[in-house]
C-alpha cells in the first residue's frame, strides 16, 4: 500500500482539523507543517509528529516524498501557494474560498484547469453525510419545488484575532457564503440569477472597507429563493438555521451542538415534514466532527482513481463568483444579476 506524503500549510483552526484527519488515515504520512506563526507551527509539529516544519512552506513542498499539500491559510495567500505547489507537481486540497478577490479567483481557475495534478477546494459540506442525505431527498422531490431556503451561520468569535485576519482578506459573506451558495445550487440543481444584501460593520476594529455581519438574498433560475445570514464577532449570538421549505413539505437540519445535551450523542437531527402525508419524521444522522476525514478520503481517491473534484471546480468557482457579486451588491446597495 502506497502511503502518500503530505504537507499542511496553515496550522490554525482548519489546519488542525486536517491534521486530525491525517493522523487517522493510514494511507497518508505527515511529512511537514508550515505556518507564519513559529510558536504555533513548532507546537503542531511535535503534537502530530511532523518530520519537518517551518515558517516558509517553500522548502517543504520541494521534497520528492511529498505528494499532497493541504492549504489552510487565509484566502489571499491561496493563489500563490497553489501556484508553487502545482509547479512542484503536487496534488492540492485548498480551503475555500478559493482566493481573496475576483482577479485571483480567475487566475486560480485558469491554473486548476491546466493542472496535471489534482485540485480540490474544501467545500466540506459536499462530504458531510447529513447534507448529502438532505440534498438527495430534496432533489428527489420530497418537498417539491420551488424552494424557500433559509440559512444562517452566526457565531460569537472564540478567536477574534483569527476572524479579524480573515476579515482583512474577505467578508464573511464571501468566506462562509461560498458553502451556502453551493448548497442552494446543489439543492435545486438551478443557478443563481441575482443577488442582493446588506452588511454591517459592528465594531471599530473591523477594517473600514468591510463588515462583520452580512445577509444576502438570492433568486435561482427555477424560481426558488434563498437567504444566507452570517457574522463573526465577540457579541454575536449562535444561530444556525438550515431550512428548506417547498410546496409539499419542509426539511430542517439541526446541528448536533444545537440539540439538548442529553441527545447530542445521536448526531445531527434532520426533521422532514410531509404536508401530503401529514407526517413529521425525525432522523438522527451520525455526526461527530467536521468531515475533514471523508474529504481527505475523497481527495485520495481522486489521486488514485483519477476522479473529478467534488464539488467540480466549475461549481466551486461559480459559488465564489456569486459570493463576490453578493459582496459588491452589499457595498453598492443594489441588486446584481449573476449572468454567466
Ligand atoms: N471548510 C470549513 O468549514 C472552514 C471553516 C473555517 C475556516 N475555513 C477556511 O480555512 C482557512 C483558514 O481559516 P482558519 O479558520 O483555520 O484560520 P486560523 O486563523 O485559525 O488559521 C490560519 C493559519 O494560517 C497561518 N497563515 C496564514 N497565512 C499564511 C501564509 N501565507 N503562510 C503561512 N501561514 C499562514 C496563520 O498564521 C494561522 O495560523 C480560510 O480559508 C477559511 O476560510 C474553512
Amino acid at each position: 500500500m502506497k502511503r502518500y506524503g503530505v504537507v499542511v500549510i496553515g496550522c490554525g483552526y482548519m489546519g488542525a482539523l486536517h491534521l486530525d484527519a491525517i493522523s487517522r488515515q493510514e494511507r497518508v504520512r505527515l511529512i511537514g507543517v508550515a505556518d507564519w506563526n513559529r510558536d504555533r507551527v513548532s507546537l503542531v509539529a511535535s503534537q502530530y509528529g511532523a518530520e519537518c516544519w517551518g515558517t516558509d512552506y517553500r522548502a517543504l513542498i520541494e521534497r520528492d516524498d511529498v505528494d499532497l499539500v493541504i492549504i489552510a491559510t487565509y484566502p489571499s495567500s491561496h493563489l500563490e501557494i497553489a501556484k508553487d505547489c502545482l509547479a512542484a507537481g503536487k496534488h492540492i486540497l485548498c480551503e475555500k474560498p478559493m482566493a481573496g478577490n475576483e482577479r485571483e479567483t480567475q487566475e486560480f481557475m485558469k491554473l486548476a484547469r491546466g493542472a496535471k495534478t489534482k485540485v480540490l477546494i474544501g467545500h466540506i459540506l459536499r462530504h458531510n453525510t447529513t447534507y448529502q442525505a438532505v440534498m438527495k431527498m430534496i432533489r428527489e422531490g420530497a418537498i417539491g419545488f420551488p424552494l424557500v431556503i433559509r440559512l444562517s451561520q452566526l457565531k460569537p468569535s472564540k478567536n477574534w484575532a483569527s476572524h479579524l485576519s480573515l476579515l482583512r482578506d474577505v467578508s464573511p459573506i464571501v468566506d462562509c457564503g461560498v458553502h451556502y451558495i453551493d448548497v442552494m445550487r446543489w439543492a435545486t440543481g438551478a443557478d443563481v440569477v441575482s443577488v442582493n444584501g446588506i452588511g454591517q460593520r459592528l465594531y471599530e476594529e473591523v477594517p473600514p472597507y468591510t463588515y462583520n455581519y452580512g445577509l444576502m438574498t438570492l433568486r435561482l433560475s427555477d424560481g426558488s429563493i434563498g437567504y444566507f445570514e452570517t457574522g463573526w464577532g465577540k457579541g454575536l449570538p449562535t444561530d444556525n438555521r438550515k431550512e428548506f421549505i417547498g410546496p409539499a413539505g419542509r426539511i430542517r437540519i439541526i446541528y448536533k451542538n444545537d440539540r439538548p445535551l442529553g441527545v447530542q450523542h445521536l448526531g445531527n437531527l434532520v426533521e422532514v415534514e410531509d404536508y401530503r402525508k401529514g407526517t413529521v419524521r425525525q432522523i438522527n444522522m451520525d455526526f461527530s466532527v467536521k468531515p475533514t476525514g471523508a474529504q481527505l478520503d475523497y481527495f485520495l481517491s481522486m489521486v488514485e482513481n483519477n476522479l473529478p473534484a467534488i464539488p467540480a471546480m466549475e461549481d466551486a468557482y461559480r459559488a465564489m463568483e456569486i459570493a463576490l457579486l453578493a459582496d459588491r451588491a452589499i457595498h453598492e446597495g443594489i441588486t446584481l444579476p449573476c449572468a454567466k
Side-chain angles (χ1 to χ4, degrees), residues 10-14 35-37 72-75 77-78 81 95-97 122 124 162 166 175 179 290:
C11 303
Y13 167 68
M14 272 320 286
D35 196 294
W36 276 342
N37 182 327
T73 56
Y74 301 130
S77 58
H78 290 175
I81 301 175
E95 265 310 328
K96 47 48 65 178
I124 194 117
S162 159
L166 279 166
D175 186 82
H179 281 306
K290 228 184 240 285

Side-chain angles (χ1 to χ4, degrees), residues 123-304:
H123 276 259
I124 194 117
L125 297 178
R126 289 277 190 161
H127 302 274
N128 179 320
T129 50
T130 303
Y131 277 85
Q132 287 169 347
V134 167
M135 295 302 121
K136 185 166 183 289
M137 283 184 226
I138 294 174
R139 291 292 285 265
E140 288 174 355
I143 56 174
F145 288 99
L147 303 179
V148 171
I149 304 174
R150 307 172 69 210
L151 302 171
S152 69
Q153 180 139 321
L154 280 96
K155 47 184 156 197
S157 299
K158 283 193 197 135
N159 185 344
W160 180 230
S162 159
H163 276 154
L164 268 182
S165 298
L166 279 166
L167 279 171
R168 281 184 208 108
D169 269 24
V170 289
S171 69
I173 279 288
V174 173
D175 186 82
C176 209
V178 287
H179 281 306
Y180 295 96
I181 292 167
D182 186 53
V183 163
M184 289 187 200
R185 296 181 73 241
W186 184 13
T188 57
D191 202 6
V192 177
V193 291
S194 69
V195 284
N196 202 339
I198 45 175
Q200 185 65 280
R201 177 175 169 252
L202 280 167
Y203 319 118
E204 286 273 302
E205 308 102 285
V206 175
Y209 53 83
T210 191
Y211 48 89
N212 63 306
Y213 166 89
L215 183 148
M216 64 175 153
T217 60
L218 302 96
R219 289 182 185 278
L220 290 110
S221 53
D222 71 337
S224 296
I225 55 170
Y227 77 74
F228 174 63
E229 184 191 20
T230 182
W232 303 326
K234 294 164 281 187
L236 288 176
T238 300
D239 191 286
N240 262 322
R241 183 169 289 276
K242 317 286 179 204
E243 189 169 45
F244 304 83
I245 305 169
R250 185 181 62 88
I251 298 183
R252 190 169 159 211
I253 301 172
I254 299 155
Y255 285 174
K256 172 185 166 234
N257 290 345
D258 295 331
R259 301 182 69 179
L261 278 179
V263 291
Q264 288 187 357
H265 64 280
L266 298 174
N268 295 331
L269 177 69
V270 174
E271 199 176 75
V272 185
E273 187 169 356
D274 186 325
Y275 303 151
R276 290 169 289 209
K277 293 185 190 150
T279 55
V280 179
R281 269 191 305 151
Q282 297 207 316
I283 309 162
N284 290 310
M285 300 288 307
D286 191 30
F287 187 87
S288 53
V289 289
K290 228 184 240 285
T292 43
Q295 185 177 247
L296 176 63
D297 292 350
Y298 189 74
F299 184 41
L300 284 173
S301 10
M302 280 174 67
V303 171
E304 286 183 335

Side-chain angles (χ1 to χ4, degrees), residues 63-77:
R63 284 177 57 139
D64 288 341
D65 54 358
V66 173
D67 306 287
L68 322 171
V69 181
I70 297 183
I71 306 169
T73 56
Y74 301 130
S76 64
S77 58

